[in-house]
Amino acid sequence: ERIANESRGGGSRFAMSRRSSSGMPGLGSLSSADKTKASTMRLFQKSLRDMITGIRSHKDSQKEFINKCLSDIRAEVVSSDIRTKAVAIEKATYLHSLGYSMHWASFHVVELMSTTNVKYKRIGYLAACQSFGDDTDVVLLIPNLLKKDLASPNPAEAALAISCLGNIVTPELSQTLVADVYSLLNNHKPDLRRRACLCLYKCFLRYPEALRPSFARLTECLDDDDQSVVQAAVTVLSELAMHNPKTYLPLAPKFYKLLTSSSSNWMTIKLVKVFGALTPLEPRLAKKLAGPISEILETTNAKSLMYECVRTVVMGMTSQEKVVRQAVDKLKDMLEDHDPNIKFLALHALTFLLDSHPRIVAEHKGNIFECLDHEDSNIQYCALKIVCGLVTKRTLIDTTAHLMNAMGKADQRFRDELVLSVIHICMNERYALVTDFVWYLSVLADLIRVPCSSHGALIGEQIIDVCLRVEVIREAAVGILGPLLLDDSLLEQSNVNKTVPGALKAVAWVVGEYAHYVVDHEEILDALLSPQVKQLPGDAQAVYLQTIFKVYASAVLMYSQGIRPTGALGALPAPATEPLIELAENGGEDGGAASAPTPGKLVPESEDLVVLRQKVSRAIEPFTTSFNLEVRERSCQLQQMLVIVGSSEDKEPGSGIAIIEAFATVLSEEIQPVSVKAQRKIDIPAELGADEPMSAEWDYLLVSSDDEDDDEYASKKGKKNKKNKKKDKMAKEIRDVTEIFGAKKSKEQIAREERESREMLAKHREKMGQYYLEGDAAGDEKKKSKSPKSLPGPESATMNALEARLANYNVGQAERPTIKGESESESEEEEVPTGPRKGKHYDPKVASSQLHGELGAYNPMKPLDRGEHLPSVEAYPRFDPYSKDDAAFNAFSPDAGKHHKSSKEKKSKKDKSKSKKKKANGEGIDEAGASNKGGSKEKKAKKEKKSSEKKTKAADVDGLAKSLLDAAV
C-alpha cells in the first residue's frame, strides 16, 4: 500500500496524524475499518491525469465516461481522507471548466480551503475561483477564513486569499475585507503589494465607498520601489480613468512622468490609453504629448504599443498635424499587412479621422476599396463605414459604382448592407449630394434587380419620393421604370424576389400617375395584365389595377386629342361641360348606363380602342374573385366602368370616350409631397373642446348599458321594474360622485386639503405611535433624493465637418434641379428613435458599465469627510520571519508545516525551561542572594522595553489612520 501511494505522486507519504482546521480527522485518528476503507479508496482513485486521458480515449462514449467520473467524484468528495477529497475537488474543477456544474460540492470546497496544508488549500481556492458566484450560499462561511489567510505570516496563503477574493468578490465580502486588503499595501513583500493593489480595483467596483479613503495610498504606489507594484497601480488607475476621465485629470502630471521614464511596454500601453481618454478633455495635453508619442512611433517595434499610440493620436491629438501624418503613415503599413487583425485595427483607427481629416483618409481610398472584397466580414463592414464617410458630390458617382460592383462578390448579409449604404448616401440630408436625379433613378432601378435584397420597400419609397419632389425627371422616370414592368422574371415567386413586390408596387404607381409620358400604352397594359401578376401580394395587385385604368384612360385621351386637339399633350384639359355630373343626374332608368353629353364634337371609339377595352375587361375577370377585398373592389369597379363605356358607345358613339376623358381630368390633378409632421402645424380650433366629455350623462349611459345585458335574462316584468328603480338610484349616486371628484379645485382648496391630511396623519401618529416604524421619515427622504447626474459627453462635430467638406468640393458642378420640400425646416425631419437596442443580446448579471457608473459618483480627489476612512488593520508581517534561514522557503512543499511548531510543543518547552530555572534558583539561592536586586532591575528594564514597543506600534497605527484622514492629492 505504501509503494502504491508513493507511486501516485508521493503526497500520501505525509499522512495527516492530527485533526485539520476543518475538523476532519487524518488517518491516524480513524478506526482500523475506516483506515482500510480510506486506503482502498486512495489506492484505486483515479488522478486528474488519468481522468483526462480517459476522456480523450473515449471519443465515442465521452458523455457516459464523464457521467461515471462524476458519480465517482461524488463518492470520493465525502471521504475523511484529505488527499482523496483534494483529488476529487481537483477533478470536479476540471469538469466544471468543461461545462459540468460543481455547485453541489461548494461546501466541500470550503472544507478544503480551511486546511492547514497549503498544497490542498491551493486546490480549494482554485475551485472557489472557478465555481463560486454571487448566488453561492456558502460564500457566507468564508469571510473569517479569508481574513485569517490575508493576515497569515505565510505569503503563499495570503496570495491565495487575495486571488480568490478578486475573483469571487461580492458587495458583502468587499465591505468586510477591503480594510484587510488595503493593509497589505504596506506589506514588505512586493508580490503581496502588487496583488493587493489589483484586488482593490475589484473591491471598488462592488463597494464604491472604499475608493475615496484608499485613493491616496493607491496613488503613492506609483512611486513604489518595485516596478511590478507601479505597473499594478497604473493598471488600476487607468481602468478607473477610462470610465470617468474627467475626475482623474489631475493625475496627468504623474502619468506623464511615468510615460517618459517607463521601459515596460505593458505599462506604456496603459499610460497611452489613459492619455487617449484625457486629451479630448484637456487640449493642452496634445501639445505636451506630441514629443513622447512621436518618439514611441519612431522607435517601437511592438504592434500593440504602436496601435495604442495611433489610436490616441486620432482620438484626441488631431490638432497636431505632424503627429497625425506620422500616425497615418503607420496605418498605411498596417493596411498592407496580411494579418486580418492588424488590417482591421488600421481601418478602425481611420474611422476617427473621418470628421477632422477626411483628405488624409482619402489618400488611402485605394486600399480601403480593396478591403470591401476581403473575406473577413468585420474588415468589410469597417471599410464600408469609411467609404460612406468619404463620399462628396464629386465622388458620389464613382463611389456608388464601386459599391455596386462589390455587390456581385459579396454574401447575402453584406450585399444588403451595400444596398442600404447606397440608398442612405444618396438620400442623406434631403439628397444633398445628388446633382443628377436621372442617374439616381437608374441606380434605384438597378438595385431592384439585386438578388435576395431585403430593401425592396425602401427602394420603392425612394422612387415615389424622388418623382414627387423633382418634376423634371418624371418623363425620364417613366422611361427608366417601364421596362421593369415588362420583366416577367421579377414576378416569379422565389427567395431571390422576396422584397421585389414592394418596389414593383411603387414602379406601377409612378407609371400610372404619369401615364401621359408613356409611349406604347398597349405594351404597358400587356405587362400589367400578365397572369403572373396574381402571384403578387394583395396591396401590389390593387396598385396594378389602379394603374391599368390610368394607362387605359391616358391611351383614350391621347387618341381623342389626336383627332380633336384641345391643348398640349400631357396637359389633360377638361372638356367644355361636366359629363360626370350630368351622368349622375340622368342615369337611373337604364342602370347607370346613361349616355354622355355632347360637348361640341364627340370622338367615336376606334377599333383599336374597342379591342383594348375588351382585352382589359377579360384580363381583370380573375381579380373579381380575389380573397383580398381591396383587389376585388377595384377590379369590380373597373369592370363596371368598362361596361358603362361600352353601353354608352353602343347608344351614342363618342359618349363612352367622353366618360373616360372626364376620369382622366380627375386623375390629372398633381399630387404634392406632404411632410409626415404636417398635422402638427394645424392649429386646434378653439370650439373643438377635445377635453370635454362626449355626453353630459356619460356615466348614466355606461350603467344603463351594463343593466341592459342583465335585463335580457329577466323573464318577468316585475323584476324589470325593480331593476329600473335600482338603475335610476345608481345613476344618481354615480352622478353625485362624478360631480364631487370631477370638479376642478382651486389652489387654496388643494393646499387646505393637504394641510388637513397632514394634521390627521400627525394626530394618528401621536395616538398610534407604537405601530409606526422609526425609519419611515428617513426612508421617505431617501426616496426623494435624486440620483447623481452623469457627466455630459463631448459635443459631436459631424454636421460642421460635413458642411465643410461640401463647401470644399462644391466647385464646377452643374445646376441642381429644385426639390419640393427642400426648403422646409429641419424640425420636420423624422425623429430617429433612441434608446437601448432591442433584440437578443448578451445581458450579464453584473455589467461593467453599471459598476463603473456607480463608481463615478465618488470623486477620489476631494478631501475626506470626518469618519470617512477605512478601519485600521495592522499590516502583517512588518518583518520577514524567514529572512535568517539559509535555504529558500517553499510554501508549497510538504515539509512547509515543519517550520511552524504546534502550540503544545511550545507550551511543553516553556514548562521545561521554567522547571529548570526553579531548580537552578533552589540550588544557588544563597550564592545568588546578593544578585537578586540586580535581577529585579533587569526585569523592570525588560517590562519598560516591551511597553515602549507597544506604544510605538500604537503610534504607527494612529499615524496611518491620520494620514488617511488628512490625505489630499
Side-chain angles (χ1 to χ4, degrees), residues 220-231:
E220 290 176 6
C221 292
L222 295 174
D223 302 324
D224 198 276
D225 298 333
D226 191 81
Q227 194 69 11
S228 63
V229 180
V230 178
Q231 291 181 10

Side-chain angles (χ1 to χ4, degrees), residues 92-104:
T93 305
Y94 176 78
L95 293 179
H96 184 81
S97 65
L98 297 181
Y100 296 87
S101 176
M102 62 170 297
H103 296 303
W104 51 271

Side-chain angles (χ1 to χ4, degrees), residues 395-526:
T395 61
L396 175 63
I397 297 178
D398 294 337
T399 303
T400 305
H402 276 97
L403 296 179
M404 298 283 285
N405 291 333
M407 292 178 190
K409 304 175 184 178
D411 58 350
Q412 170 62 30
R413 183 183 172 191
F414 187 60
R415 190 188 303 124
D416 277 346
E417 194 67 26
L418 288 171
V419 172
L420 188 63
S421 300
V422 170
I423 296 174
H424 277 297
I425 288 171
C426 297
M427 69 178 288
N428 196 23
E429 299 295 330
R430 295 184 185 273
Y431 311 101
L433 301 178
V434 181
T435 56
D436 187 356
F437 284 92
V438 176
W439 164 83
Y440 182 41
L441 272 177
S442 64
V443 170
L444 292 175
D446 291 338
L447 292 179
I448 294 176
R449 300 179 184 275
V450 174
C452 302
S453 174
S454 59
H455 302 294
L458 180 61
I459 297 172
E461 292 174 4
Q462 282 294 290
I463 291 173
I464 294 176
D465 190 59
V466 170
C467 292
L468 285 177
R469 292 181 182 273
V470 188
E471 296 182 13
V472 297
I473 66 163
R474 291 173 180 172
E475 184 176 359
V478 174
I480 293 172
L481 301 176
L484 294 174
L485 298 176
L486 305 176
D487 192 353
D488 293 337
S489 62
L490 297 177
L491 298 176
E492 296 177 359
Q493 283 187 332
S494 62
N495 292 330
V496 177
N497 301 329
K498 186 170 60 174
T499 60
V500 169
L504 288 179
K505 181 173 66 173
V507 171
W509 184 89
V510 170
V511 172
E513 185 66 23
Y514 310 110
H516 48 276
Y517 293 119
V518 175
V519 178
D520 191 348
H521 295 82
E522 187 175 0
E523 184 181 20
I524 297 296
L525 283 175
D526 289 340

Side-chain angles (χ1 to χ4, degrees), residues 804-858:
R805 291 206 306 274
L806 294 179
N808 292 333
Y809 294 106
N810 192 10
V811 179
Q813 296 292 332
E815 291 187 3
R816 190 162 170 267
T818 57
I819 302 176
K820 294 185 178 181
E822 188 177 16
S823 59
E824 296 176 4
S825 61
E826 295 181 358
S827 61
E828 293 185 2
E829 292 290 341
E830 295 186 7
E831 296 179 358
V832 179
T834 57
R837 180 169 55 90
K838 294 183 179 181
K840 294 183 178 180
H841 60 279
Y842 175 67
D843 188 12
K845 293 182 179 178
V846 184
S848 176
S849 58
Q850 179 184 354
L851 296 177
H852 281 282
E854 297 173 358
L855 199 61
Y858 297 89

